[in-house]
Structures are given as C-alpha cells and as structure tokens.
Amino acid sequence: MLMRRLIACLLAPVMMTAPALSAENVTTFTLENGLEAVVLEDHRAPVVMHMLWYKAGAADEDPGVSGIAHFLEHLLFKATDKLEAGEFSAIVAANGGSDNAFTSWDYTGYHQRIAADRLELMMSMESNRMRNIRLTEEDVTTERKVILEERAQRTDSDPGALFSEQRNAAQYLNHPYGRPIIGWRHEMTELSREDALAFYQKFYAPNSAVLVVAGDVDPAEVEELAKKYYGPIAPTEGLEERQRPEEPPQRVERRLVYEDPQAAQPYVVRSYLAPERDAGDQETAAALTILAEILGGSGQTSVLGRALQLDSNKAVYTSAFYSGMNYDDTTFGLYIVPAPGLTLQEGEDELDAVVAQFMEDGVDSAHLARVKSQIRASLIYGQDNVTSLGREYGAALTSGLTVQDVQEWPAILEAVTEDDIMDAARLVFDRKKSVTGWFRKPQTQEVSQ
C-alpha cells in the first residue's frame, strides 16, 4: 500500500510516461459540493477502474502525528454505517474485482478494478466510506500493530530504506516531505482514534476529492451516478488551499554516511532540490525529465552509463532520477555504484568528473533525438493501459495540476531543446544546495569496497 517513490527512482531508470488519450476520450465535470471528476473512455474491454483520490497525504499531517494519513488508509477498510469490517473488499472480490489503496506525500487513493456493469456498486460503497466510517478502539489497536509491523518489515529491517529515510530528512529541514510517509516509529506508536478521525473529518470530503473513472463507460452515465452517490455528501466547510512550510535557503552542502553491517552494496547518492511541474508552467520540469534520461536513463546509452560503465568500467551501475509529480519542490538526483576496488570517494569523484564534462560539452543532438523517440513510443504504448492513465490523471489533479496540464505534457516534452536542458542543469547543479549520501558497511568490517 505504502508508496516508495524515491526508492523506486533509485532502483530503475527514469520512466517518462504520460496520458496519450485524445481530448474527446477525456470528460470532466465538477459537482456542486466540489468533487472533481475525470472520465477516461476505453471500450475495448468491459472493465472499469473506479478511483477516488483525496488531496491529502503525509505532507498534510499535523506535526507529531506522522503516519496518520497512511494509518487512516488502513482504517478505511473497517466498518461503516452500512458495511462490516472487511466487507468492502469481500464484496469487490465476490463480484470478480480487485481493490487496493495507496498513500503518498500529496494524496491518498482508493481504487477498484471490476466489470463495467458493477460501477454503480463501487460508487455506492466508496461514497459511503467518504463520511461514514465507524472506528472502534479495537480497530485502532489492531491496525496500529499492522502498520508498525509494516514499518518493521519494509523500513526498519532494510538498511537501504533507513538510509533513504535519513537522506530525505536531511533534504527537507522544514518542509513535511522530510517525514516518512509511513511515519516515525515513536509517533506511530501513539496514533489514536481521535487523530485518525480528525484527519478523516477534515480531508475526506467531496471538496478535497478527485474521482477518476477509466474504462468501458459512458461519461453521461458516470456523471449521473456521481451525482446520485457523491452529490449528497456535504463538503468540509472552510477547507483552504494547502499552506505548507517552505524550505529555508540552503547555504551549504549536506553530507551523511550511513553504515550498516547488512549493507550489501556500497553506493553514492546525491540529490538537489528541483522545481516540480506547476499548473501552466511545466517547461523546466520537462527539461529536467529529459535531463535525467540523458544523464542516467540507460546503462548502454546515457552519459553516465557510457562513461562509467562501458568506457572506463568505473561503475557497476549509474542512474539519474527526477519526478516532477509533486505539489511542492521535488528532487533531482544522481546515483553510482562504484566498481569493485574503487572507494566511495573515488566513485563520487568519477561521477562529478563526468557531470562536469557534460556541463562543458552540452547535449548531444543525436542522443536527444533518441530520447524523444523513446518518449513518443512510451506514450503510444501507454494508451493500452487505462489504469496507468487513471493514476496519471489522479496524481496530477491531487498535486496541483489540471487536466489541460496533463494533456499538454507530451507536447511540452517534445518541444524541449538542448538549451532548455542545459539551462535546467545549471539551475539544479549547485553543490551548496545538495545532499550527498554514502551507503556502506562499517569501515572496520570492510576488506574492500
């Protein structure tokens, strides 16, 4: 359930996907109570994806209750005024469907994939738990143990995850992106029924939600069903636009070394604060997206891969990562696993040298053309997956973007020039505004790196 976006960025090359549905296949409407809706038509199979997104995630939590957004995600599968605990998922499964949920810093989402003729059933159940959950102290105690065990398995027992968590905290000193989505353990142990209900009553409301329905549906029928089931729900009065703490100016490079006996592979990661995709202003984010692909998208063709993995054998693996789908400033990062026999310092120096040479040489036009060709291909293939497209629209609308921004994104990527990429690189690559992390075994236990 818990989304681990940063870790995913480090483990795989940057993927650039965006919805490629034509405008006539995308319908939008907004209910009087503030619920936004997007309908994505795809009649190739009698299946529908029903998704309800809330504009509330880990970065919207009050101080001291980290993890409450993710905790509430778990608790929403308990009882409502119409359903017993666990009955929601049981009904979905009995009707041949599947359901799940996810939490990020900027949103929480719930989704069901099911036969198209069961859409009304999904809307009736999902709208019911928007305002009508019934939590007992036993529910809270039981599910708190579940999330603590989830943290134990996915974070506390994983040195790489703990390293990522510490780097993130060093990256964001004041902004809530510095808190882990799952929460700090010492605060998770104290999460209460009152904490969950306070977050629920504030954010689980139509004026904080985005409905995405993708698949074999008729937009007019979807709107009528939405009016029937979501329309009567009262909005949260006085709910304002997000006002989050801003990061102070970073004036010095931050560095950390994370040592753990279980560290299997030493590596270096450096990240920089970078602008996210903003409504009506996505050009810099597009340039950074392509910059990440050019620098580290492929071990065979990227700048880092060719120089450090193929030509000099100085690295086992290299990558660059960037994801602009944030409500606030995101990060751009570089990653290297030095080859056996090289120290982390030598690996970092090699990485810096290649980046410095790239800044001097600029973008190779043939390489840029290949990257854009790959983007176009990914957009064509992306049309075959309405679930991915639904997630793209949902994430965008809960991260401050609009439907128009999503639809314009492919053209903005295509329009990026060599100069745009270098301008973006100069904007981001400032060592005084970076966080560099080393991950390794304790020195005393190492024979060599």
Side-chain angles (χ1 to χ4, degrees), residues 28 32 42 57 61 79 100 124 190 215 227-228 230 253 258 288 312 316 343 352-353 363 416-417 429-430:
T28 64
E32 292 182 2
D42 186 334
E61 300 164 342
N100 214 326
S124 67
E190 302 298 323
K227 289 178 179 178
K228 178 179 178 179
Y230 291 107
E253 179 182 4
Y258 191 91
L288 289 171
S312 67
V316 174
T343 66
D352 288 339
V363 178
V416 170
T417 66
F429 291 151
D430 182 348

Side-chain angles (χ1 to χ4, degrees), residues 51-66:
M51 313 178 81
L52 189 65
W53 300 66
Y54 291 99
K55 299 177 183 179
D60 299 295
E61 300 164 342
D62 290 333
V65 290
S66 63

Side-chain angles (χ1 to χ4, degrees), residues 64-65 144 148 185-193 195:
V65 290
R144 189 168 53 220
L148 286 168
R185 172 170 283 275
H186 68 283
E187 294 183 349
M188 294 169 67
T189 60
E190 302 298 323
L191 294 178
S192 67
R193 179 176 178 273
D195 295 330

Side-chain angles (χ1 to χ4, degrees), residues 311-330:
D311 295 346
S312 67
N313 294 317
K314 295 294 180 65
V316 174
Y317 179 76
T318 59
S319 184
F321 56 90
Y322 171 79
S323 174
M325 194 69 81
N326 273 35
Y327 191 83
D328 296 312
D329 279 352
T330 184

Side-chain angles (χ1 to χ4, degrees), residues 61 63 105-106 114 124 128 137 155 211 215-216 219 284 299 325 362-363 380 382 405 432-435:
E61 300 164 342
W105 279 285
D106 296 319
I114 202 162
S124 67
N128 176 244
E137 289 294 346
T155 304
L211 173 67
D216 187 21
T284 299
M325 194 69 81
V363 178
I380 294 172
D405 292 321
K432 291 182 179 179
K433 299 178 180 179
S434 68
V435 175

Side-chain angles (χ1 to χ4, degrees), residues 349-376:
D349 292 343
E350 293 289 344
L351 181 72
D352 288 339
V354 173
V355 172
Q357 189 63 51
F358 170 77
M359 296 302 293
E360 183 176 332
D361 294 342
V363 178
D364 178 80
S365 58
H367 189 191
L368 176 57
R370 288 194 298 271
V371 167
K372 288 187 175 183
S373 177
Q374 292 165 1
I375 293 173
R376 288 191 294 271

